[in-house]
Amino acid sequence: MLDKINKLKAEIAALTAKDGAEVEALRIKYLSKKGEVSALFNDFRSVPADQKKAMGQALNELKNAATEKINSLKEAVENADTETTGIDLTRTAAPLPLGTRHPLSLVREEIIDIFRRLGFSIAEGPEIEDDWHVFSSLNFAADHPARDMQDTFFIQRNPDVLLRTHTSSVQTRVMEKAEPPIRIICPGRVYRNEAISARAHCFFHQVEALYVDKNVSYADLRQTLLYFSREMFGQDTEIRLRPSYFPFTEPSAEMDISCKICGGKGCNFCKHTGWVEILGCGMVDPNVLEACGIDSKKYSGFALGMGIERITNLKYQVKDLRMFSENDKRFLEEFESAR
Ligand code: DAH
């Protein structure tokens, strides 16, 4: 029996394995219940009493040596996996570079969110439009300069097909179909035939808001503007409405907010006035309501329109409009934390 033990000991000491499966096969061969080492333990019962002590010791040594050998083979193949593939599966994953939200998207979502809290829902319209929705329905006179080729991109003339110059066209599209009360905001891209510079671009983005119902008043407009401005720029923001003119509103106004950069004291950004212009607004002209099939004696409404680039500039002080469309990663990555 001692011979058998020694033979097995030598055999086990010389074992090798290439992978985990081979190690497992060896473990079963030698150490499982029906394995060769266990078989020797069964033979142990017939060993004469005077040899039991020495034989028992030898058997235990064999079992320990076999267990150690199998464990060291197991460890070796596991380490070999790392060495051959070069991948350390235990390492923490390196952070993946994630994209960032575009600043204009961030600001658009913020504007939408504020108006949503006031009960406005989103409406959209096409970027390729006709004269009726962009101009005629909105009370533009036949000789209004915005209808000129110098301001508008025409795709076709007579009948006119053009790129919308403002999101006010969505007002018409909604009013033509829906019955008041109407409470919508319309975010979207608009196009104008402008030379591209730091301060102007041939396309930009607007958000339009429209509220039509019975008894909608200028006070409702003003309160909505105040709420929007304070949510957007902080609760200490003041607003100021200056009389203005738009064909589709009467009366019309432009809204300024107190300058966020100098807090109203006057700086380069606000041209030392303490105020910056943000948007155009007014009470929907009865002609527009009627053109869209809404009874202007029964209903009234307010509308407002703002440029998303302008709001973004104010929030993040982007000096050059062209940055928004150049896709320079260095610029876009600055908005990582706003993701
Ligand atoms: N459509 C105007 C523009 O593009 C902005 C505007 C002004 C929209 C007044 C309105 C408004 O709804 O009431 O300059």
Side-chain angles (χ1 to χ4, degrees), residues 95-157:
L96 286 175
L98 287 181
T100 57
R101 303 284 305 278
H102 193 281
L104 293 179
S105 305
L106 290 169
V107 171
R108 183 192 59 215
E109 291 310 310
E110 207 177 331
I111 298 169
I112 289 174
D113 235 45
I114 296 170
F115 278 95
R116 215 191 321 244
R117 292 203 284 279
L118 290 172
F120 285 72
S121 51
I122 297 175
E124 281 178 333
E127 291 179 12
I128 299 174
E129 266 290 8
D130 50 39
D131 174 276
W132 170 253
H133 290 97
V134 177
F135 299 126
S136 297
S137 64
L138 293 167
N139 208 29
F140 279 78
D143 58 353
H144 194 285
R147 291 169 180 259
D148 199 275
M149 298 261 279
Q150 268 175 2
D151 296 289
T152 304
F153 286 117
F154 285 90
I155 292 169
Q156 179 196 298
R157 285 292 209 162

Side-chain angles (χ1 to χ4, degrees), residues 249-267:
T249 44
E250 181 58 37
S252 304
E254 270 165 307
M255 185 188 82
D256 300 339
I257 59 161
S258 47
C259 181
K260 288 284 107 189
I261 311 239
C262 60
K265 285 192 209 77
C267 65

Side-chain angles (χ1 to χ4, degrees), residues 140 165-168 171 190 192 204 206-209 246 248-249 252-253 279-283 302-306:
F140 279 78
T165 55
H166 55 182
T167 45
S168 303
Q171 284 189 25
V190 300
R192 285 191 199 169
F204 54 99
Q206 290 186 331
V207 175
E208 186 89 10
F246 300 103
F248 36 91
T249 44
S252 304
L279 52 78
C281 58
M283 301 307 291
F302 70 67
L304 59 100
M306 67 187 102

